[in-house]
Amino acid sequence: MAKVLFVMTGAAYWTLKDGTRHPTGYWAEEFAAPYSALTGADHEIVVATPRGAIPHVDSMSLRPSMAGSEQIALDLEEVLRSAEELRRPIELADARLADYDAVYYPGGHGPMEDLWKDADSGRLLTAALASGKPLAIVCHAPVAILATRRNGVSPFTGYRMTAYTNDEEDAVGLREKAFWTVEDGLVELGVDFTRGEIWKPYTVIDRNLFTGQNPASAAPLAEQILEVLG
């Protein structure tokens, strides 16, 4: 049995460039699909958030129109209700990489508010990348690697990876309202950014870094991690 750290946003909103707060949090599918796959294989999950905040689910991600169907939305809600780890997160500052076999970051717009600048997350990501342990990050959560910069340099520079694209941000009408996007931030950081078809599953593996483009990529990403964990 492996022990996997889920690093999650503690934010319930995303501040847009006009100063308004867009309600958000983590995206249900991006937590639920890997959580179900990993716990179903008898692996242990620990959730960590900035300051130990209880993660807030983006209500949009539980709408049948966004989840895919009414039954899928109900299934997601059931996973979230049953996941006790969501109600007792540890503080991210207390997370020790040595205690875990893999690290996973689910997305949602929440990381655009907190994880992109969280120093504790930045230190953990830097250590995880150097450790060789599986490090999986999906959708908006790759924005967290911006916090790994030291004197303008990041260990992730040059890595091939993907994340939520500008085209997908355009599709939900938020790109023009944002200060910046996750794709723009990663490209500026110097990663080798790649993409698949909008809304379709797309994952990239570069050494021990596993990234997924969007919510539909969370389940395939989990399967890839399961293969590594055995």
Side-chain angles (χ1 to χ4, degrees):
M1 181 181 73
K3 190 174 182 180
V4 182
L5 180 68
F6 276 38
V7 179
M8 301 180 66
T9 178
Y13 61 84
W14 176 27
T15 305
L16 302 177
K17 63 184 178 183
D18 66 356
T20 60
R21 292 181 170 183
H22 175 72
T24 186
Y26 69 90
W27 198 257
E29 181 180 2
E30 295 172 30
F31 171 84
Y35 177 87
S36 297
L38 290 164
T39 57
D42 294 325
H43 298 307
E44 180 184 354
I45 305 299
V46 174
V47 171
T49 63
R51 298 171 298 282
I54 302 297
H56 180 84
V57 65
D58 189 324
S59 60
M60 287 286 291
S61 67
L62 294 172
R63 292 185 181 181
S65 60
M66 300 299 290
S69 72
E70 184 173 352
Q71 185 57 56
I72 293 174
L74 290 172
D75 291 344
L76 289 173
E77 289 184 10
E78 177 57 31
V79 173
L80 301 190
R81 278 195 298 269
S82 65
E84 287 298 323
E85 296 89 345
L86 284 172
R87 286 169 281 284
R88 46 181 176 83
I90 67 171
E91 291 194 24
L92 183 51
D94 295 334
R96 297 175 62 255
L97 180 63
D99 295 335
Y100 303 97
D101 301 289
V103 177
Y104 171 63
Y105 278 65
H109 281 100
M112 301 292 290
E113 184 70 23
D114 59 0
L115 292 181
W116 76 273
K117 58 183 178 181
D118 189 283
D120 295 316
S121 175
R123 285 189 288 270
L124 179 71
L125 285 167
T126 298
L129 191 69
S131 73
K133 295 179 179 181
L135 170 60
I137 322 176
V138 71
C139 200
H140 285 86
V143 76
I145 74 171
L146 299 185
T148 66
R149 288 176 292 195
R150 295 293 179 270
N151 300 316
V153 178
S154 167
F156 288 83
T157 297
Y159 270 74
R160 186 171 181 266
M161 62 185 299
T162 190
Y164 198 75
T165 65
N166 285 343
D167 290 340
E168 286 163 322
E169 206 72 85
D170 281 332
V172 297
L174 287 171
R175 183 181 179 187
E176 63 181 15
K177 299 178 181 179
F179 284 106
W180 46 276
T181 65
V182 59
E183 178 181 337
D184 290 345
L186 294 176
V187 169
E188 182 180 352
L189 191 70
V191 307
D192 180 6
F193 191 89
T194 181
R195 77 192 67 218
E197 186 178 349
I198 186 171
W199 306 133
K200 300 294 185 179
Y202 182 74
T203 63
V204 175
I205 304 173
D206 187 345
R207 288 156 278 187
N208 64 315
L209 177 63
F210 299 70
T211 51
Q213 179 173 315
N214 47 36
S217 306
L221 202 65
E223 291 303 318
Q224 291 168 347
I225 296 303
L226 279 172
E227 288 183 15
V228 176
L229 294 177

